Amino acid sequence: MTRLNNYIINLLKKKLNTEDIKEENLKILNKGKFANAFVYRYTDSDHDYTIKDFYHCPFIVRVLFGRIMAKIEYSTLKKLSGIKGIAPEVYMLSPFTIAFSYVKGKPLKAYDDGSNPVPVEFFHKMETLVAEMHGRNIVHLDLRNLGNIIRGEDGNPYIIDFQSSISTKHLPERVRTILENSDISGIYKSWKSVCCEPLPEDKVEFLDDFNNIRKLWVLRGYPISRAIKRMKKSIKKRRKG
């Protein structure tokens, strides 16, 4: 890990234009396998960043997919700059590495045991946040994953992990509506799972209707993710052969 740590530290030094970046302030949060990023947190008295890096991936995956996913997330965060609930700072450290403001709080999946239900006001704010995101022609497409919605230390919602996001600016209205409804269904799914109050009937009906549509949705699983899985299986077969 020291080699990778040094790599990240040097990228930060170059981007932030300072030598006062120390390896002891860097810790790994998640060791992604194959085509998934390593996720780090760098924190000191002046900086607090999440860092996602695909450098460890196999060469083809890193060049084809790591570069694409890092660029998608960077570009999306830049487009959403200024919206409360979206990381306010983002940097492209390398073609395979991005850094953005660390969000202090807990993902909604941490509340899934029902011991500490989330106030309903959180989900009203989440609806506003997602509407602002859609207003800038961005859909997240993975808000049904409770790990991507954070309840911040201030009690407000934050959205992370924009690797699956796309722009809807030039899409047909019908397609755009379906994709936006996917994000909204993620809010209602988490509301139903972890909120202190039940999901209202009209929203239950919306969620049920969307779940029926989703069974036929061609983007289920997302094209890039499916391509990565196929590549992974192919590499495993060659190794066994």
Side-chain angles (χ1 to χ4, degrees), residues 216-230:
L216 306 174
W217 189 17
V218 296
L219 291 180
R220 192 176 179 185
Y222 315 123
I224 289 178
S225 298
R226 291 201 302 269
I228 289 171
K229 288 179 181 178
R230 287 197 296 269

Side-chain angles (χ1 to χ4, degrees), residues 28-221:
I28 185 118
L29 302 179
N30 183 55
K31 294 182 180 180
K33 295 181 179 179
F34 191 73
N36 296 311
F38 274 21
V39 182
Y40 302 84
R41 180 183 181 185
Y42 181 86
T43 180
D44 61 25
S45 58
D46 298 314
H47 310 97
D48 197 357
Y49 297 119
T50 297
I51 300 161
K52 296 178 73 171
D53 175 62
F54 293 90
Y55 188 75
H56 71 283
C57 296
F59 176 77
I60 294 177
V61 175
R62 180 171 74 243
V63 171
L64 294 181
F65 296 108
R67 184 190 297 264
I68 292 172
M69 288 187 280
K71 184 64 175 178
I72 287 173
E73 188 148 19
Y74 172 79
S75 298
T76 299
L77 289 173
K78 292 292 285 186
K79 289 175 183 176
L80 298 178
S81 176
I83 295 178
K84 183 174 175 57
I86 306 296
E89 291 183 70
V90 59
Y91 302 102
M92 201 82 191
L93 301 184
S94 85
F96 323 105
T97 316
I98 64 169
F100 49 87
S101 306
Y102 181 81
V103 177
K104 296 179 181 179
K106 291 183 181 179
L108 290 192
K109 66 180 180 180
Y111 297 87
D112 211 16
D113 62 1
S115 61
N116 185 23
V118 178
V120 69
E121 290 79 9
F122 175 92
F123 296 97
H124 293 316
K125 291 178 180 179
M126 188 69 193
E127 287 179 305
T128 300
L129 170 55
V130 169
E132 288 187 69
M133 180 176 71
H134 291 168
R136 296 200 188 181
N137 303 310
I138 296 293
V139 287
H140 186 281
L141 295 183
D142 200 17
L143 289 183
R144 295 174 66 89
N145 178 351
L146 271 65
N148 290 335
I149 303 174
I150 305 295
R151 186 184 181 203
E153 290 184 345
D154 58 5
N156 291 319
Y158 294 83
I159 299 175
I160 62 170
D161 199 352
F162 285 87
Q163 287 179 190
S164 298
S165 66
I166 62 172
S167 171
T168 58
K169 188 174 183 179
H170 301 294
L171 294 179
E173 187 64 28
R174 182 172 176 81
V175 174
R176 177 183 182 132
T177 298
I178 292 173
L179 297 181
E180 289 180 350
N181 285 349
S182 171
D183 286 349
I184 295 169
S185 77
I187 303 172
Y188 297 163
K189 177 187 175 184
S190 58
W191 185 331
K192 188 176 181 179
S193 298
V194 303
C195 185
C196 64
E197 296 185 18
L199 187 65
E201 278 302 316
D202 61 323
K203 300 182 191 300
V204 170
E205 185 176 346
F206 176 98
L207 184 59
D208 289 343
D209 288 345
F210 183 81
N211 285 339
N212 289 330
I213 294 173
R214 187 171 177 266
K215 294 174 183 177
L216 306 174
W217 189 17
V218 296
L219 291 180
R220 192 176 179 185

